[in-house]
């Protein structure tokens, strides 16, 4: 646990220092995976499904807001649908417009949620969505989750019926259009998945916002259980063939991701919980305070040894010129002796000069006479 907390602190420092570059790299990878998944599944137009187009769209969308990436993915899907069948593209355009009306109304700044939802279904792990959205978001996040689910099933329906649509003539085009519209609107599996995602997300978010101990762990487990129960019950009641392996495996993966998210975003010490009560003129306040777990990141220290150690085990101090303390002391002693010798020589010269002047001026004779 302590290693995970140390890793979290290091990741926080790294993100704080290089957040701009990290976000752009993640945005590029998301675009590359998204456009690659679209082109590999419904690549009906050969030019648009090329690797050059995939990488180019990912690079362009890296430097633009996430909303532009959602719109670019929508346009790419419609281009492939148009290459397959123009009526299918028209119906899909209307459905996309209805979804985006709700999307831009409730969560205009959460474009990546739509992409994450669709990719989770494409990767066969749909029930990690309620855990992630319920723990990190608000109840409004059910709107992009539902939009991403519907978008995935639209692509799935077109891919499943692509052979029939390509071989259909002009007379049967109308029947194919009606069949596709009915399949999208009346798909029991799609609406079951939408209902499961919505209910589980609301349950996870409700439990997570409670003041009970270990709320995030309970919320993750509750969301996984709700997904398994609702999806399995609907699978039996509606006589569907949705894989139980995908249901159980994705729910279990959701619990694991929930535990990791708790370590990264909500690591607290419930053993030191405090309950505080106070009041003012109008209200009584009952506060539950749970301290966060903080772990200092160990820093590496490098010891430089540039000289021989003394008997006490200490390295002798060095001055700016790199000389040791003993050498400094010797130098200082020599300097003092030089100064004292120079002072003696200067005093002797002054005495001799004074005597010579006294003899020349006759001052010595006057002193003797006076005596």
């Amino acid at each position: 646990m302590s290693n995970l907390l140390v890793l979290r602190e290091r990741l926080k420092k790294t993100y704080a220092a290089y957040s701009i570059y990290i976000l752009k790299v993640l945005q590029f990878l998301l675009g590359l995976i998204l456009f690659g998944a679209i082109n590999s599944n419904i690549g009906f137009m050969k030019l648009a499904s090329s690797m050059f187009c995939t990488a180019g769209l990912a690079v362009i969308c890296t430097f633009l807001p996430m909303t532009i990436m959602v719109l670019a993915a929508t346009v790419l899907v419609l281009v492939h649908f148009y290459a397959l069948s123009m009526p299918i593209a028209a119906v899909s355009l209307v459905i996309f417009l209805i979804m985006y009306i709700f999307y831009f109304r409730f969560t205009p700044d959460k474009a990546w949620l739509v992409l994450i939802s669709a990719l989770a279904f494409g990767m066969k792990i749909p029930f990690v969505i309620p855990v992630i959205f319920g723990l990190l978001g608000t109840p409004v996040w059910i709107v992009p989750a539902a939009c991403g689910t519907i978008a995935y099933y639209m692509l799935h329906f077109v891919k499943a019926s692509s052979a029939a649509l390509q071989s259909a003539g002009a007379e049967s085009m109308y029947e194919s259009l009606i069949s596709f519209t009915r399949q999208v609107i009346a798909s029991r599996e799609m609406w079951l998945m939408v209902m499961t995602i919505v209910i589980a997300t609301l349950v996870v978010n409700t439990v997570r916002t409670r003041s009970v101990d270990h709320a995030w762990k309970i919320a993750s487990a509750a969301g996984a259980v709700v997904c398994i129960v609702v999806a399995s019950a609907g699978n039996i009641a509606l006589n569907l063939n949705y894989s139980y392996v995908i249901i159980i495996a994705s729910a279990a993966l959701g619990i694991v991701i929930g535990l990791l998210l708790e370590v990264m975003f909500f690591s607290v010490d419930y053993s030191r919980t405090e309950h505080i009560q106070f009041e003012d003129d109008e209200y009584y306040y009952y506060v539950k305070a749970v301290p966060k777990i903080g772990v200092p990141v160990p820093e590496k220290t490098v010891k430089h040894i540039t000289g021989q150690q003394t008997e006490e085990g200490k390295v002798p101090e060095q001055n700016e010129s790199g000389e040791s303390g003993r050498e400094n002391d010797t130098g200082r002693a020599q300097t003092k002796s030089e100064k004292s010798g120079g002072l003696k020589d200067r005093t002797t010269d002054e005495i001799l000069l004074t005597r010579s002047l006294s003899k020349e001026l006759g001052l010595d004779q006057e002193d003797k006479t006076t005596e």
Side-chain angles (χ1 to χ4, degrees), residues 37-49:
I38 292 174
N39 290 331
S40 61
N41 284 278
I42 55 168
F44 303 117
M45 182 175 285
K46 299 301 181 182
L47 181 62
S49 60

Side-chain angles (χ1 to χ4, degrees), residues 31-338:
L32 199 63
I33 295 172
L34 175 66
F35 298 127
I38 292 174
N39 290 331
S40 61
N41 284 278
I42 55 168
F44 303 117
M45 182 175 285
K46 299 301 181 182
L47 181 62
S49 60
S50 63
M51 191 62 189
F52 177 77
C53 180
T54 301
L57 287 175
V59 171
I60 293 173
C61 293
T62 300
F63 302 98
L64 298 174
M66 290 296 296
T67 305
I68 303 300
M69 185 178 291
V70 176
L71 296 177
T74 304
V75 172
L76 183 61
V77 169
L78 292 176
V79 166
H80 287 302
F81 284 0
Y82 178 79
L84 178 66
S85 173
M86 187 177 67
I88 299 298
V91 173
S92 302
L93 176 61
V94 173
I95 296 174
F96 278 129
L97 288 176
I98 295 174
M99 287 194 302
Y100 288 153
I101 288 173
F102 288 97
Y103 161 72
F104 284 113
R105 171 64 179 84
F106 292 101
T107 54
D109 56 340
K110 302 296 181 184
W112 59 277
L113 300 177
V114 179
L115 306 179
I116 294 296
S117 301
L119 288 175
F121 273 92
M123 298 172 64
K124 306 302 181 183
I125 49 172
F127 296 141
V128 302
I129 300 173
V131 176
I132 297 174
F133 287 14
L135 292 178
L136 301 181
T138 62
V140 182
W141 284 24
I142 61 175
V143 176
C147 292
T149 304
I150 295 172
Y152 164 76
Y153 273 96
M154 286 180 58
L155 270 66
H156 177 70
F157 296 148
V158 172
K159 181 181 178 181
S161 58
S162 60
L165 292 172
Q166 287 177 345
S167 61
E171 298 179 354
S172 60
M173 186 63 68
Y174 177 76
E175 296 179 358
S176 300
L177 179 61
I178 297 299
S179 176
F180 173 74
T181 306
R182 187 183 299 112
Q183 191 177 16
V184 173
I185 296 176
S187 174
R188 294 177 295 177
E189 180 179 328
M190 183 186 73
W191 292 115
L192 174 62
M193 291 296 107
V194 171
M195 183 178 66
T196 304
I197 295 296
V198 169
I199 294 175
T201 303
L202 293 177
V203 169
V204 172
N205 186 261
T206 302
V207 176
R208 191 264 298 176
T209 54
R210 301 304 95 189
S211 61
V212 297
D213 292 350
H214 306 285
W216 282 52
K217 294 183 180 68
I218 299 173
S220 301
V225 171
V226 168
C227 288
I228 294 174
V229 172
V230 175
S232 300
N235 205 18
I236 296 172
L238 300 176
N239 196 19
L240 302 176
N241 294 321
Y242 199 81
S243 175
Y244 290 100
V245 176
I246 295 177
I247 295 174
I248 297 174
S250 61
L253 182 60
I255 295 177
V256 174
I257 292 177
L259 296 176
L260 293 176
L261 291 177
E262 182 181 7
V263 173
M264 296 298 297
F265 298 100
F266 195 76
S267 183
V268 295
D269 186 3
Y270 288 104
S271 63
R272 296 189 291 124
T273 302
E274 298 180 4
H275 296 274
I276 304 172
Q277 177 183 351
F278 57 94
E279 63 177 291
D280 59 11
D281 295 336
E282 298 180 355
Y283 295 96
Y284 286 96
Y285 300 91
Y286 299 90
V287 180
K288 179 181 179 180
V290 184
K292 296 181 179 180
I293 298 177
V295 178
V297 179
E299 297 181 357
K300 296 182 179 179
T301 57
V302 180
K303 184 177 180 181
H304 297 279
I305 300 176
T306 57
Q308 295 181 353
Q309 295 184 349
T310 60
E311 294 179 356
E312 291 80 4
K314 296 182 180 179
V315 179
E317 297 180 356
Q318 295 182 350
N319 56 13
E320 295 179 355
S321 61
E323 297 176 350
S324 62
R326 291 182 179 179
E327 294 175 352
N328 289 339
D329 293 339
T330 305
R332 291 174 183 173
Q334 291 177 356
T335 304
K336 289 181 179 180
S337 63
E338 290 175 356

